[in-house]
Amino acid sequence: MKIDFLTLFPEMFSAMNCSIIGRAIENNIVVLNTVNIRDFSLDKHKRVDDYVFGGGQGLLMAPQPLFDAIDSVRSVDSYVVYVTPSGEPFTQKIAKELKEKKHLIFVCGHYEGIDQRVIDQRVDREISIGDYVLTNGELPAMVIADAVIRLLPNVLHNEDSATNDSFENNLLEHPQYTRPANFRGLEVPEVLLSGNHQLVDKWKREKQIEKTIRVRPDLLERGEE
């Protein structure tokens, strides 16, 4: 998979070179590239924003630099994602859909967002990582990319672990423990030490349901749809 990040701050993406994602890059499982939107500005000062028609606070990213930046990397295999608070909520289901794409292009907005004509003509999907507003689109783009990359073959040492993640089957992950079995008088549930895999699986399932009911009952309702 190839991922292009269209951004005003390419240096932010150095964080993607760490840990599991860094190894995926080293192993050529994924290729990450940053494209500086300012490089495509025709303004002598490399300006990429302007005032909003109809009034309103703040500035808007102009269409010309964005159209040209997208078209510089876009091909028939490309899928363009604009990260924005007004997009559809990002979920594990969407991450699985995106991992099937050969080439992802993330458009990282700033200011009040981007000109609607870019969205209408070049963007395939608008995605939000939550009901809040950030100062830039780089952080949510990295969040989505991380969630997608970890699902690619050979990225995780134990690929089966992804099937037990939170949100699989609309359930949250069960509680987990490691050694020592007794830490400051706090004991690991006895069933996990029993060696009885059938009982352990039953306990895990029950705890998944309990936690989901307590923390995210909406996930269970979603599963009934």
Side-chain angles (χ1 to χ4, degrees):
M1 172 183 279
K2 180 182 179 183
I3 300 178
D4 281 295
F5 298 100
L6 275 56
T7 171
L8 297 180
F9 300 97
E11 62 274 13
M12 290 186 66
F13 291 91
S14 61
M16 299 294 290
N17 294 319
C18 301
S19 188
I20 293 172
I21 306 304
R23 289 198 297 270
I25 296 171
E26 291 176 0
N27 294 328
N28 296 315
I29 297 172
V30 63
V31 176
L32 303 186
N33 180 53
T34 57
V35 177
N36 194 328
I37 299 169
R38 290 191 191 280
D39 291 343
F40 296 86
S41 175
L42 300 180
D43 181 80
K44 65 179 181 179
H45 301 296
K46 294 299 180 182
R47 184 175 178 179
V48 297
D49 60 305
D50 213 326
Y51 295 102
V52 181
F53 281 126
Q57 300 296 319
L59 300 168
L60 198 69
M61 292 183 72
Q64 177 270 313
L66 283 169
F67 264 88
D68 290 349
I70 293 171
D71 290 346
S72 73
V73 293
R74 184 169 170 256
S75 69
V76 293
D77 292 326
S78 301
Y79 193 77
V80 182
V81 176
Y82 171 44
V83 286
T84 168
S86 61
E88 63 179 303
F90 184 59
T91 63
Q92 191 71 2
K93 180 176 181 291
I94 293 177
K96 290 180 178 179
E97 293 172 4
L98 294 181
K99 85 176 180 66
E100 301 300 327
K101 307 298 182 183
K102 293 181 179 179
H103 181 208
L104 292 176
I105 300 174
F106 286 97
V107 178
C108 305
H110 277 266
Y111 315 116
E112 294 301 309
I114 69 176
D115 191 290
Q116 183 63 37
R117 289 166 289 189
V118 180
I119 299 172
D120 293 340
Q121 298 297 318
R122 290 294 185 271
V123 171
D124 295 301
R125 197 164 194 171
E126 298 176 76
I127 299 178
S128 166
I129 63 166
D131 296 339
Y132 47 87
V133 179
L134 299 171
T135 58
N136 61 72
E138 282 75 12
L139 292 173
M142 284 189 276
V143 166
I144 296 171
D146 184 287
V148 172
I149 294 170
R150 69 186 297 277
L151 295 176
L152 297 176
N154 302 317
V155 171
L156 298 179
H157 288 311
N158 181 2
E159 294 184 20
D160 289 338
S161 66
T163 63
N164 295 318
D165 286 338
S166 290
F167 309 114
E168 292 294 327
N169 301 314
N170 294 305
L171 292 173
L172 298 180
E173 197 168 37
H174 54 78
Q176 299 185 80
Y177 304 85
T178 187
R179 292 180 290 184
N182 186 315
F183 177 70
R184 297 180 180 177
L186 304 173
E187 296 185 350
V188 171
E190 187 175 344
V191 64
L192 299 180
L193 309 176
S194 68
N196 188 320
H197 297 297
Q198 186 174 359
L199 286 179
V200 169
D201 289 342
K202 181 175 181 291
W203 179 89
K204 289 180 178 180
R205 181 73 174 182
E206 289 174 350
K207 293 302 177 182
Q208 280 187 290
I209 294 172
E210 286 177 11
K211 185 170 184 178
T212 306
I213 290 174
R214 185 177 75 255
V215 180
R216 291 291 304 277
D218 59 296
L219 290 176
L220 294 175
E221 295 170 4
R222 188 183 305 169
E224 295 172 355
E225 295 176 355

